[in-house]
Every structure is written in structure tokens, then in C-alpha cells.
Amino acid sequence: MSVVLYRVDERLIHGQVVIGWGHELRPDRYVVVDDEIAGSAWEQELYALGAPEADAVFATVKDARAHLDEWSRDHVRTVVLTRTIGSMRALLDGLGQGRAINLGGLHAGPERTRVLDYLHLTADDREDLGALAAQGVEVFARDLPEAPSVDLDTVLSA
Amino acid sequence: MTELLRFGVLGGLLGLDGTAVGQFMMSRPLVAGWLSGWAAGAPGLGITIGAILELFLLVSFPTGGARFPEGSTAAVVAVGVAVPFDGSGAVAASVAMGLVWGEVGGWSVTMQRRVNSRLVPTGVASRTGSLGRAHLLAIVTDFLRGAVVSMVGVALGRAGLGVVDARWPVDPSVSTGVLYVGAAVSLGILLHDLGGFRRRRILFVLGLAFGIVGARFL
Amino acid sequence: MSHDTRPRGGFGMLMRSLLIQGAWNYRTMLGSGFAFALLPALKRLYGNDPNALARAIERHSEHFNAHPYLAPIALGAIARLESDQVDVETIRRFRTAVRGPLGGLGDTLVWATWLPLVAVCSLVLYWFGVPGWGVVLAFVLVYNVGHLGLRVWGLWLGLDAGRDVGARLTAVDLGSWARRLQGPLVIGLGVLCGAVLSAPGGLSSIGPAWSALAAVAFVLGLVGGHRAWRPAAMATVGAIAFIGLWGILS
């Protein structure tokens, strides 16, 4: 399978993803799944600047669901990114069995409570994560490959 | 005491240049070392130490949130320690103290950044006046941090070097050799970052040949 | 874009951009510094309405990160968006999207290329026998021509392009500048290695054994990369401390 990472990170394509995970996983394609960005040319140009060595593809949740199977089977090493846990759930709902999602940067904000330095969740986020886990999706928090991996039980109990 | 204060002021000002104010890279060891030597009436000693520390720190930059050795502290402390001594190990021991204290400086920078998290206003409190005041306060505390760390480093280093300076057991060339060997690792890392020897061998070897001939005959 | 639509306050923002990291912190990184540097533009726009000004400052104090020399691109672009009265949500999204590339491009172009290039060339001057003040003057002047040039150009680009800085940056391709400077940097590094070897007072004057040891150390760095840095520095400190202890005990 050639989706090498599913990641939730509100910064999308940025240094930690491109340098930190990129040097480890060597992806050739970043897929940003976000309904708003998929319709915004200037935002796409900015995010694409962050990954000069790879392709950057932008898709709505609906389009991404249609292509998910194809991305998983073709030979282009792909990192799939969403800005929110909600979009990741919408993307993988019913299709997530056997896949793993990585929680990266979700920073402090209103109604979010701190779980880890780089991870702050709302009540809805917690519910979405529980629903994904119930479908057989593995969830782990890890900002960088060299950092320790934190499993979902630990994340939800914080 | 006034001499120690002079190194403190330099350490504070150059520490600010590293992150908070300007980033003109006066905080690089080459510049900070020469300035410290000049302020103490020994610019030659300053540039000697600054150049060696610059070799070591050539691959160390203030990127993002990562911790890095603080070049300004390393150079100010190393030069400050070396000034009153003339034994055969004075430069080497001072550079070693600079390398150690640069790490202490880097640690103090992360502490400063934690303190700043509390200093900057949040939410509706972030009005014009409070924003400016918070910045001024953060800059002043950062200056004091750099000054105190530098002065403590110079005082400790001098106390230590005072014990060994007259009893240094080896020739100055041996001490300098150790420094060059350590610094050579950084030069290797820089070539690694630029793509490695295999990819860069032609340009690198051309430069190497020119350097060997040039430094001897120019 | 014509000149008159560009927001004013550029010089103040440029000066304040020098302090954008003044309160660098783990919570918002450059967030409050960003608002601090943007203040001249915000005051011109919201100066008559203290509540609107306070809300704008609050919005622009949120988390932000970028290379300090490229942050003026974002400052200029957002000043432009604010003065064009673009809606708050679009500005927030712009601010979010611009962080990543300005950080990554700056690290590659400045920290990994321009700074080592000027530092290596200055060290070459030193080992070629140029007096200390000349070496330092050359470093500070040359380095900061690039540094300040980047800030001024970036602010101008941001003010001029507004939301479209992404397209303009793609066209300019700062990454290709970095790649073009890497060749000269490799040559400079070679010259520096040669000079450290053969200069009077350099390695070869100490003896061939030291030159050989240094070559081994160079290869360790070449193979190990950044992982080798701290062990090497600590080994150097350890060796010198050992010599000192030996002096005290003997």
C-alpha cells in the first residue's frame, strides 16, 4: 500500500511534515484533503511551496474518498493530510479498516484542552477519534518520527 | 569586577542579536569573539578564539524551536576566560569552556522562551500598550539572561584555568591540534549537508587544492 | 498594482520586523511579535476605533512562525489584505498557510546556505592572513547586505502582491537561489579545509599525525552528519579536560 502516512496537522504541508517525516518516508506526493482549500488557488500555491521536491494534490473530502482506493494501490508514495480530525473522520468513515492515522499538530485554541504540547482536542475531536477506532482504525499521536508514539487510550485519558 | 561587567554587557547584547533583536549575526562566534577581544584590549586573541569556535559552530543555526548551542555566549566566555592567562593551554582550555558554556547558554534560551510564554498578553488583554510593554520586558530579561550567563561562565572559567594554567603539561601545538581535530568534524558535517563527498567531489577537491597552495603562498 | 492602493507604514513595519522575535515563546512562537511589527499598519487602518484595533491586535497575536528575514513578506501581504478590507476569515487562513513555506524557504536559503557561505569565506580570509578587523568587517557587511536586502524585498513583495504572494514566490523560486549558492559554498569549504591544513600555524605545521587525525574526524562528520556534532564537541572538551587534569596531578 502506498499511502505511507495519514496525518492530522492544522499546519498541513510544513517543516515537521516535509523535513521530519519526509526524510523518513520519502513521499513523492502530498494529498491535502480539505473542502475549502480545494477551491482556493492562492492557498494551494502557498502550501505547494512547502514541498518543492514532491507533488502537492488538493482534494475535497468527496473527491478524496473516491480516489482513496487508487492512492492506496498505485506506486506513488503518498502522505494524506487533513487540517482537522473531523475531515479525517469524514474521509475514512467506513473505509478506514486496517489503516492508521497520525495526530500531529493541533494547537491551543478556544474549547480545546491540552493533551500533549502539540495536541489540543475538542469534545467533538474525542468523539470522532473514538468512532474511527471503533471501525478498526489505529490512532496514534506523534509529532516527529524520532518522538515517542502515544496511543489512543493515553490520548483520550488525558 | 568592571572587567567582568564588560563581558556581561557584551554577552547580553550579543545574545539579543541571536534571536530577539535584529539577527545581524554579530552573535556568530567569529564576530562575538573579535569584539570581546577588542573590548579587553586583545583583538588578536579574540579573533583566534572566535575563528576556532566559528569552525565548530559552522553547522549550528537558530532554527525554529530546536535547542542549539549559543554561539555568542560560547565566544564571549571563551575570550573572557583566556584574556588574563598566557600559559600553553590557555586558548584550548578557554575554547573548551566556551563549548560547554555555549550549551548552558542554549539551555538558558529555552528557559527564556518558556518565561516569554507567560509575558506575552493573551486574548483581549493584547491591547497596543501591553503588547509593546511585554516585548520590552521580554527583551530586557533576555539581555539580563545573556549577561548573567556570560559573567558566571567567565568567572567560573577563570577560577578553573587559574588552577591549571601554569601546570599545563603539553606543548601549545598539541592543544591546538586537539581543537582542529574536533573542528574538522563540523567541516565534514557541512559537506554532508551539501550532498556528500561523492556528489560534490570535483568542486570540493578543486577548492581544497587552491586552499592548500593559497594559504602557503598568497 | 498601482502605488496608491498600497498601504502605508512600511518603514515602521520594516524596523519593527527586526524585533519580530523579541518575545519568541513556545505558546505562540512569533505570534505577538507579528502583531507588534504589524502595528504601524493596523494603527493607520483602525486608529479611530480602539475596539476594532484591539480585536485586530488580538487576531494577529495568534500562533505564527516564519524565518525572521522572510516574515516581512507575510507582514506586507497581511497589511495589504487588511487595507483592502478582505474578510477576517480569509486573512486568518492566509496567515496560517504562509507560515510553512516562509519557515522552510528561509531555513534552506539563509541558515543552510547564505550564512555558512559568508562565514566560510570570512574564515578563508582569516587563514589567508587578513587581519581580524578586516575579516569581521567583511563578514558583517556582506552578510547583512543579503539579510537586509531580503527583508526590504520581502516587505515590498508582500505589500505589492497581497494574497498572491504564493504565485510570486513560485515564480521567483527562492529554492533555486539556494541551489545556485551551494556550488560556491562547496568550493569555499574546500578552500577552507585546504587553508586550515597548510596555513602557517595550521595543522601541517603541528605535524602529519595531527593532519591525519583531522582527516579521520572530517570523514566522521561527513558520514555521521549532525548526529556527530555533540559527541565531537564533548570529545574535544573531554580531551582538553584530561590534559588539564594530567597537569594538576603530575
Side-chain angles (χ1 to χ4, degrees):
Chain A
M1 147 165 145
S2 71
V3 175
V4 290
L5 184 71
Y6 293 88
R7 177 171 168 103
V8 182
D9 188 329
E10 63 193 6
R11 298 160 296 182
L12 296 170
I13 302 175
H14 73 116
Q16 271 188 6
V17 169
V18 179
I19 308 287
W21 288 92
H23 281 183
E24 189 87 355
L25 301 172
R26 304 261 163 218
D28 303 306
R29 177 167 63 197
Y30 291 92
V31 176
V32 171
V33 180
D34 190 280
D35 287 351
E36 283 170 328
I37 295 172
S40 164
W42 61 268
E43 260 172 308
Q44 294 180 13
E45 264 155 0
L46 282 174
Y47 282 110
L49 272 172
E53 315 282 321
D55 281 342
V57 175
F58 300 85
T60 60
V61 170
K62 187 162 166 275
D63 286 348
R65 278 178 71 87
H67 284 93
L68 200 57
D69 208 37
E70 178 192 326
W71 291 328
S72 304
R73 277 187 286 111
D74 70 13
H75 294 293
V76 186
R77 297 174 65 80
T78 300
V79 168
V80 174
L81 297 163
T82 69
R83 231 175 354 156
T84 62
I85 291 173
S87 335
M88 187 59 87
R89 181 185 177 184
L91 172 68
L92 292 182
D93 214 10
L95 307 170
Q97 177 96 47
R99 300 181 207 262
I101 63 171
N102 164 239
L103 305 179
L106 289 172
H107 290 99
E111 289 165 46
R112 285 184 180 173
T113 52
R114 183 187 173 282
V115 176
L116 299 159
D117 272 339
Y118 58 87
L119 193 66
H120 299 71
L121 299 179
T122 64
D124 287 349
D125 289 338
R126 290 166 187 274
E127 192 198 313
D128 287 337
L129 290 174
L132 281 169
Q135 294 179 18
V137 177
E138 187 201 336
V139 178
F140 66 105
R142 187 180 226 178
D143 54 348
L144 287 164
E146 56 263 36
S149 176
V150 180
D151 65 22
L152 184 61
D153 288 341
T154 317
V155 166
L156 292 182
S157 66
Chain B
M1 192 62 206
T2 45
E3 202 207 349
L4 200 60
L5 265 175
R6 198 182 303 161
F7 288 113
V9 170
L10 260 176
L13 289 177
L14 294 172
L16 284 181
D17 178 74
T19 304
V21 181
Q23 307 94 39
F24 295 104
M25 293 300 115
M26 311 283 275
S27 48
R28 292 302 300 178
L30 187 68
V31 184
W34 182 80
L35 278 173
S36 309
W38 177 78
L45 178 70
I47 194 80
T48 302
I49 290 176
I52 294 172
L53 280 171
E54 185 70 43
L55 284 179
F56 270 97
L57 297 181
L58 212 43
V59 289
S60 158
F61 318 113
T63 47
R67 198 166 114 199
F68 48 87
E70 199 184 22
S72 57
T73 297
V76 171
V77 167
V79 175
V81 169
V83 164
F85 299 99
D86 56 6
S88 64
V91 167
S94 305
V95 168
M97 182 63 187
L99 285 172
V100 171
W101 221 252
E103 298 282 354
V104 174
W107 168 83
S108 74
V109 169
T110 59
M111 291 299 121
Q112 175 72 39
R113 291 172 169 191
R114 283 194 198 153
V115 171
N116 286 350
S117 296
R118 292 165 188 274
L119 289 181
V120 294
T122 49
V124 281
S126 39
R127 309 272 156 150
T128 329
S130 64
L131 187 67
R133 271 198 304 278
H135 264 243
L136 187 63
L137 191 58
I139 289 169
V140 170
T141 43
D142 197 25
F143 169 78
L144 293 174
R145 173 201 64 79
V148 169
V149 169
S150 298
M151 286 195 289
V152 172
V154 171
L156 281 177
R158 282 186 178 181
L161 190 51
V163 178
V164 292
D165 188 57
R167 313 167 75 169
W168 200 258
V170 296
D171 198 64
S173 66
V174 174
S175 317
T176 321
V178 173
L179 294 179
Y180 280 140
V181 170
V185 175
S186 291
L187 294 171
I189 296 173
L190 186 54
L191 188 57
H192 168 96
D193 284 355
L194 291 165
F197 182 75
R198 209 165 295 165
R199 261 187 63 201
R200 297 294 196 171
R201 61 183 182 275
I202 296 172
L203 292 181
F204 179 76
V205 171
L206 267 177
L208 188 69
F210 180 77
I212 289 173
V213 177
R216 193 159 297 175
F217 300 108
L218 284 183
Chain C
M1 294 288 169
S2 76
H3 238 278
D4 352 307
T5 61
R6 249 188 251 160
R8 303 170 68 86
F11 184 73
M13 285 198 289
L14 189 68
M15 290 297 109
R16 281 167 175 254
S17 87
L18 295 170
L19 300 177
I20 196 166
Q21 297 194 128
W24 204 115
N25 67 89
Y26 289 113
R27 190 157 55 78
T28 64
M29 295 197 176
L30 308 192
S32 71
F34 190 89
F36 177 79
L38 195 62
L39 210 52
L42 294 180
K43 273 186 173 165
R44 278 167 201 270
L45 292 166
Y46 301 106
N48 303 325
D49 182 351
N51 283 326
L53 180 62
R55 279 199 303 276
I57 291 172
E58 188 186 344
R59 286 201 305 276
H60 289 298
S61 299
E62 283 169 18
H63 182 279
F64 187 78
N65 199 20
H67 191 283
Y69 302 175
L70 295 187
I73 297 177
L75 286 169
I78 284 179
R80 176 62 185 267
L81 295 179
E82 286 278 358
S83 92
D84 289 351
Q85 299 186 314
V86 171
D87 65 289
V88 170
E89 181 56 21
T90 302
I91 294 180
R92 195 186 63 74
R93 281 172 50 186
F94 176 86
R95 207 169 164 277
T96 308
V98 83
R99 292 180 298 195
L102 293 190
L105 283 171
D107 286 354
T108 308
L109 181 64
V110 180
W111 294 152
T113 312
W114 179 241
L115 175 59
L117 177 64
V118 184
V120 160
C121 292
S122 306
L123 286 170
V124 167
L125 292 180
Y126 170 73
W127 261 282
F128 274 34
V130 173
W133 63 268
V135 173
V136 168
L137 198 65
F139 173 83
V140 172
L141 284 181
V142 174
Y143 179 81
N144 284 301
V145 165
H147 160 203
L148 294 171
L150 208 49
R151 287 202 198 243
V152 173
W153 169 80
L155 186 67
W156 170 82
L157 179 80
L159 287 170
D160 194 51
R163 203 174 64 174
D164 298 322
V165 288
R168 298 277 289 271
L169 283 171
T170 309
V172 173
D173 196 2
L174 287 177
S176 78
W177 295 15
R179 283 191 294 278
R180 258 174 268 164
L181 291 174
Q182 276 173 1
L185 176 52
V186 173
I187 298 176
L189 177 61
V191 178
L192 178 60
C193 291
V196 170
L197 268 173
S198 84
L203 271 164
S204 62
S205 65
I206 307 174
W210 287 106
S211 306
L213 263 179
V216 171
F218 180 86
V219 172
L220 278 178
L222 183 58
V223 174
H226 284 266
R227 275 172 307 172
W229 192 86
R230 269 207 173 84
M234 289 305 121
T236 309
V237 171
I240 290 166
F242 175 79
I243 295 174
L245 262 174
W246 177 26
I248 297 171
L249 297 176
S250 62

